[in-house]
Every structure is written in structure tokens, then in C-alpha cells.
Amino acid sequence: PGVYSAIGGCPTAFISAAEFMATVKKFDKLAIPYANNAPGNQCWTDTQERFYQYYKDQGVWDFKGFPDEPGDPSDNAALIQNVADFLKDAKNPGIFFGVQASDCVEFLKGLKAAGVSADVVVSTACVDDTVLALPESKGMNVELQGYNVADPASLTDFAKWELDAIE
């Protein structure tokens, strides 16, 4: 309590996303595509996997990470199918994107095209006009980077939760 980080990404956004997904969304299965490069693997092993494992140990969910070659669409079909297979028997499935920004569009479109109906949570890496204009992004839970208190209706559930946690 009383400690805030001036940075986002792995040290803060991914950890708060894990708490949000466990305590608010209450996913029973969580699929996490993540960037299979040096920064992505560091984020995965240092600030994602440990927190997902903590909630798994508490009986909250089962989870699985899916390494993705960033910026290389040749592995997307297999990754999307693997995510679909992992989540197929979930009652309340979730997906968190730990990918680089350029892969957000491909994954959103590919997952919807494959019939995956899981709730998607993203960090601000996926927040740009291209992603937000996609019909597939409707209902996506977006972490906040900035916000307008004069327009609380514009905030996603994730952003509202983050603001409540800060308060």
C-alpha cells in the first residue's frame, strides 16, 4: 500500500493483470501468448509465470504460456490452434496478450476466426487505433495508461479496477 510505479509493462502491468484476471474475471483457464525473444522471455520467467503459478497453487486456474516469434506470422496458425485446444473445456476461459504490439491485430483476428470465445485482456502494448477499430476488439479488457476522470463510461473494467486499486 502507498507504493506506485512510474513504469508499466512487465514489472507492473503484467502483475496487476494477473491479479485482475484471478480476482475479478475469475478465469478457470488462462492462455498467455508471449513474445519469444529476450525481453519477452525475461518478462515471462520473471514477472508473469510466477504470478500465474501462484494463483494456480491457490486453486484459481490452470494456465499455459505460448511462445510466439514476434513479428513472424508463420507460427500464428499453430499458436492459435494450441490456445483453442487448451481452452476448449474451460467454463470461463481467458487470454492475456504478453506479445509485442505488432502481433495484437493478428491474434485478435485469428482467435475470433478460430471460434475462440475467451475473454481477452491486454496491456497498453495493444492499444492503438488499428487494434481498437477491429470488430474483434469489442469487449476486450484494456489496461489503462492514461484516463479521463470526466468520462468514466469510457473506462474498461480493467481500467476501473486499476483506478480502484490505486485509490
Side-chain angles (χ1 to χ4, degrees):
V3 177
Y4 301 95
S5 174
I7 57 174
C10 296
T12 58
F14 291 3
I15 296 166
S16 66
E19 184 178 356
F20 170 76
M21 293 183 293
T23 62
V24 175
K25 290 298 183 177
K26 300 183 188 307
F27 296 141
D28 62 332
K29 274 196 162 180
L30 177 64
I32 311 102
Y34 67 92
N36 189 23
N37 59 13
N41 284 305
Q42 180 68 31
C43 284
W44 174 253
T45 58
D46 188 45
T47 59
Q48 288 192 79
E49 188 176 29
R50 291 183 301 148
F51 293 95
Y52 301 140
Q53 185 64 47
Y54 168 81
Y55 287 113
K56 180 177 182 172
D57 293 345
Q58 303 302 310
V60 172
W61 58 35
D62 190 11
F63 77 94
K64 185 172 183 180
F66 297 88
D68 170 64
E69 298 307 315
D72 179 1
S74 68
D75 66 339
N76 289 359
L79 185 143
I80 289 165
Q81 186 60 55
N82 289 335
V83 167
D85 290 346
F86 175 71
L87 295 176
K88 70 180 173 196
D89 61 348
K91 291 184 175 92
N92 186 24
I95 300 172
F96 180 76
F97 287 175
V99 298
Q100 74 177 26
S102 64
D103 292 324
C104 298
V105 168
E106 295 171 7
F107 286 146
L108 278 172
K109 292 179 94 167
L111 288 163
K112 296 296 181 183
V116 177
S117 61
D119 205 356
V120 176
V121 178
V122 300
S123 71
T124 53
C126 289
V127 179
D128 69 26
D129 291 341
T130 304
V131 174
L132 298 177
L134 292 173
E136 294 87 352
S137 71
K138 183 174 171 62
M140 180 174 70
N141 296 276
V142 181
E143 177 206 17
L144 64 90
Q145 188 167 22
Y147 58 92
N148 179 357
V149 294
D151 187 14
S154 69
L155 300 173
T156 67
D157 288 343
F158 190 9
K160 290 174 190 172
W161 179 85
E162 285 181 306
L163 289 174
D164 286 345
I166 289 170
E167 291 299 320

